[in-house]
Amino acid sequence: EGSMSDPDERNEFVEPYLTWNAMRPQLPCKLSDLVTPAFIVDISIVKRNCELMIAKAKSSGVRLRPHVKTHKTIEIAKMQVGGDLNNGIVCSTLSEVSFFASNGFTDITYGIPITFMKLLPLYQISNKTGCKISLIVDSVVQLDELKAFFGNQKNAHFGCFLKIDTGYHRAGVDVKLHKEIGLEIARRISQETNLTFRGVYSHSGHGYHALDTADAQRISFEECKEAKLFTEFLRENSINCETISVGSTPSCGSSDQFPGATEIHPGNYVFFDRQQVQAGACKEADIAVCVLTRVIGHYESSGHMLCDAGSLAMSKDLATQDDHLGAVEGCDLVLQSVSQECGKLMMKQPENGKRPAFNMDDHPRGSLLKIIPNHSCLTAACHPLYYIVENDTVIDVYKPCRGW
Ligand SMILES: Cc1ncc(COP(=O)(O)O)c(C=O)c1O
């Protein structure tokens, strides 16, 4: 009594009669053959976005170490690295690290500041797959924890980046206020025999609040400048940085030059989204994804239609310059509010005016709409499968990695 059993070994439940997999259509198929909500990826745009970022890194003389958290699929990660699995990538969950290392990627940075509990699984993944794994460190406490870990696991070895804060103020050592602390951490990483110091890592997430392309470029330029100044300070103190890694999609999408950096690590650019358009990182035509939904009700008296895309199909992220959860492609309807599985569609509220009425008969119950997400990373993460389309024909299905 009270004993716990492994959920995989409990057999008192039967499989559902209609599994989600059984609802998958035969390919190729039309969008109208899909059960909604469905996450749609226009693969020609993804390929173009990937090729452009590779070309931009090349022409500006920096390496590209793409982040894979936006899509979490092997297929798109291969496009990001031009087919070269030895090209480094960045992951943000252990399950991503495990997924990509098990599928042939050989150089993975776990991009979240490291905590003790994650060390053993990361070591086991690198041991099993041969993948070189790098950590992100931004405090001396983590180095104490690493020392304790290496005391028990003498053969463990990781690369290690010092995370620096160049203005986002989420994580990292603030290099304007605390460069001495940064120096001490870099020195301790360099002295630790089970670590290889790889350089500094900055993520300009504050680029998401850029007002336009020029503002995003300014943020990118500042990030590069601060990173360079700090690495010069390290060099004066006999610590060499092989890598100065910077960027986010607003900064890398908007800028063509990264003076002082040796590497960029954007991720969202594979899909882009409404937020990136507002931050000046891309044009609407560069957005590669949408959520396909069906109209499921007309409510004339309150002036809204209901659709089958709610917060679990879209997420609840707002873009910075408006108040709704996504925009319908090809008209002025927006997803004004969401509950778990449904969303309310209304006309976009004009800046200083009354919300216009619209003719619901243009969108009969059951008709399909495409909603462009505000933040494609979170929207993609809601979906167990991605439907891959070319010219509105579904040609493939990709299965992303899920979990932590
Ligand atoms: C640590 C880190 N590096 C790189 C990225 C990639 O940034 P973006 O998706 O804006 O390109 C992220 C994204 O959140 C991140 O958290």
Side-chain angles (χ1 to χ4, degrees):
E1 205 180 288
S3 74
M4 308 255 276
S5 67
D6 181 336
D8 283 344
E9 300 192 341
R10 280 179 219 151
N11 52 11
E12 68 259 46
F13 305 124
V14 293
E15 280 292 307
Y17 164 64
L18 187 58
T19 64
W20 207 80
N21 267 357
M23 293 193 278
R24 281 164 65 171
Q26 291 288 317
L27 298 177
C29 72
K30 300 189 291 294
L31 289 181
S32 55
D33 294 325
L34 298 179
V35 174
T36 47
F39 189 71
I40 308 296
V41 179
D42 186 322
I43 204 65
S44 316
I45 301 181
V46 174
K47 282 185 192 146
R48 188 178 75 208
N49 291 343
C50 289
E51 283 161 10
L52 283 175
M53 198 55 83
I54 291 173
K56 178 180 282 200
K58 205 165 177 193
S59 67
S60 57
V62 292
R63 286 187 302 270
L64 173 63
R65 183 190 304 271
H67 208 305
V68 298
K69 71 178 205 172
T70 302
H71 56 87
K72 308 183 194 232
T73 64
I74 302 298
E75 293 89 339
I76 298 175
K78 285 184 177 167
M79 294 175 202
Q80 287 180 289
V81 295
D84 176 7
L85 300 194
N86 296 322
N87 188 118
I89 57 171
V90 189
C91 292
S92 53
T93 61
L94 289 184
S95 72
E96 282 168 39
V97 176
S98 172
F99 185 53
F100 288 96
S102 304
N103 282 282
F105 285 81
T106 63
D107 175 4
I108 297 181
T109 300
Y110 174 66
I112 307 285
I114 192 64
T115 38
F116 193 77
M117 279 299 287
K118 308 234 170 82
L119 288 171
L120 186 59
L122 287 173
Y123 173 45
Q124 287 167 334
I125 295 166
S126 75
N127 235 354
K128 187 95 183 156
T129 62
C131 177
K132 183 170 79 175
I133 293 178
S134 294
L135 311 175
I136 298 275
V137 161
D138 62 2
S139 76
V140 282
V141 178
Q142 288 159 305
L143 285 158
D144 293 341
E145 292 183 352
L146 279 159
K147 200 168 247 336
F149 178 76
F150 295 136
N152 292 326
Q153 303 290 344
K154 301 218 171 358
N155 295 326
H157 193 276
F158 297 110
C160 192
F161 287 95
L162 165 62
K163 172 109 181 191
I164 57 170
D165 178 3
T166 57
Y168 183 26
H169 305 322
R170 180 179 72 178
V173 176
D174 187 323
V175 287
K176 271 194 178 150
L177 297 178
H178 302 299
K179 63 180 184 176
E180 294 293 340
I181 297 177
L183 172 63
E184 187 193 344
I185 298 171
R187 194 170 273 145
R188 280 192 54 181
I189 298 172
S190 307
Q191 286 165 351
E192 188 64 65
T193 48
N194 302 65
L195 294 175
T196 300
F197 181 55
R198 299 194 72 183
V200 296
Y201 189 108
S202 156
H203 168 55
S204 48
H206 50 315
Y208 277 75
H209 300 294
L211 301 173
D212 53 28
T213 305
D215 199 25
Q217 284 171 343
R218 180 190 58 76
I219 290 169
S220 173
F221 186 77
E222 277 291 307
E223 177 186 33
C224 293
K225 192 181 89 186
E226 291 300 330
K228 180 164 182 274
L229 275 177
F230 177 68
T231 53
E232 281 168 1
F233 168 70
L234 289 185
R235 197 167 313 120
E236 284 159 18
N237 286 278
S238 311
I239 294 181
N240 250 346
C241 278
E242 172 217 316
T243 300
I244 305 171
S245 194
V246 299
S248 62
T249 289
S251 63
C252 299
S254 62
S255 308
D256 287 327
Q257 295 297 324
F258 306 93
T262 65
E263 181 178 286
I264 53 174
H265 49 236
N268 174 280
Y269 70 96
V270 296
F271 289 165
F272 286 124
D273 50 36
R274 298 187 64 252
Q275 170 68 61
Q276 299 292 354
V277 174
Q278 294 184 5
C282 69
K283 302 267 178 293
E284 251 168 57
D286 301 322
I287 302 177
V289 295
C290 66
V291 172
L292 191 70
T293 183
R294 282 190 172 82
V295 175
I296 58 174
H298 286 181
Y299 303 89
E300 301 279 355
S301 57
S302 63
H304 78 268
M305 300 190 300
L306 201 64
C307 72
D308 59 8
S311 50
L312 285 187
M314 298 302 303
S315 91
K316 279 191 166 180
D317 256 22
L318 299 171
T320 40
Q321 291 171 29
D322 48 34
D323 70 342
H324 52 78
L325 299 146
V328 177
E329 188 182 275
C331 64
D332 284 334
L333 288 169
V334 294
L335 191 65
Q336 191 59 51
S337 63
V338 283
S339 43
Q340 196 164 330
E341 277 89 16
C342 315
K344 275 184 171 180
L345 296 165
M346 293 179 176
M347 289 298 274
K348 187 172 162 44
Q349 173 92 48
E351 233 169 66
N352 296 314
K354 218 171 132 259
R355 206 185 283 276
F358 67 105
N359 186 358
M360 297 190 192
D361 294 340
D362 291 345
H363 309 282
R365 286 184 76 250
S367 58
L368 289 173
L369 296 172
K370 292 176 177 172
I371 306 182
I372 314 297
N374 290 341
H375 189 177
S376 57
C377 306
L378 290 191
T379 303
C382 299
H383 294 265
L385 294 179
Y386 303 162
Y387 294 96
I388 306 303
V389 308
E390 242 169 21
N391 302 321
D392 274 355
T393 299
V394 185
I395 55 164
D396 205 348
V397 176
Y398 292 173
K399 194 163 193 262
C401 153
R402 288 289 173 256
W404 300 99

